[in-house]
Amino acid sequence: MNLILIIIVGGILGWLASMVMRTDAQQGIFLNIVVGVVGALVAGFLINPLIGGGTITQGDFSISALIVSFLGALVLLAIVNLFRRGAVR
């Protein structure tokens, strides 16, 4: 049951992050789920050591965990956009 919640919440967070980064028209529902879940993993490695708390991939669905996972999805989309635009060679 926890995996289903991670997929649903990850999809919503990925969709919100893609709307903020203005890449929503380029992505489908599958990519939104991937961005949300992988963004939560990125947040677990990058953001959690700085501020603490949990992420949705750790089974924590509190407000702070949702915000941290959303920030991780934003960081992931920013990195993908840098590579997609050819800024990093």
Side-chain angles (χ1 to χ4, degrees), residues 9-72:
V9 173
I12 292 170
L13 291 175
W15 173 68
L16 290 173
S18 68
M19 288 185 66
V20 169
M21 296 297 289
R22 295 188 178 123
T23 60
D24 189 42
Q26 302 166 354
Q27 296 180 188
I29 189 166
F30 178 74
L31 198 54
N32 282 336
I33 292 171
V34 170
V35 165
V37 173
V38 174
L41 289 172
V42 168
F45 291 118
L46 297 178
I47 300 173
N48 270 347
L50 299 174
I51 62 172
T55 63
I56 62 168
T57 55
Q58 298 169 341
D60 185 11
F61 294 101
S62 65
I63 296 296
S64 65
L66 291 174
I67 291 171
V68 166
S69 297
F70 176 71
L71 291 175

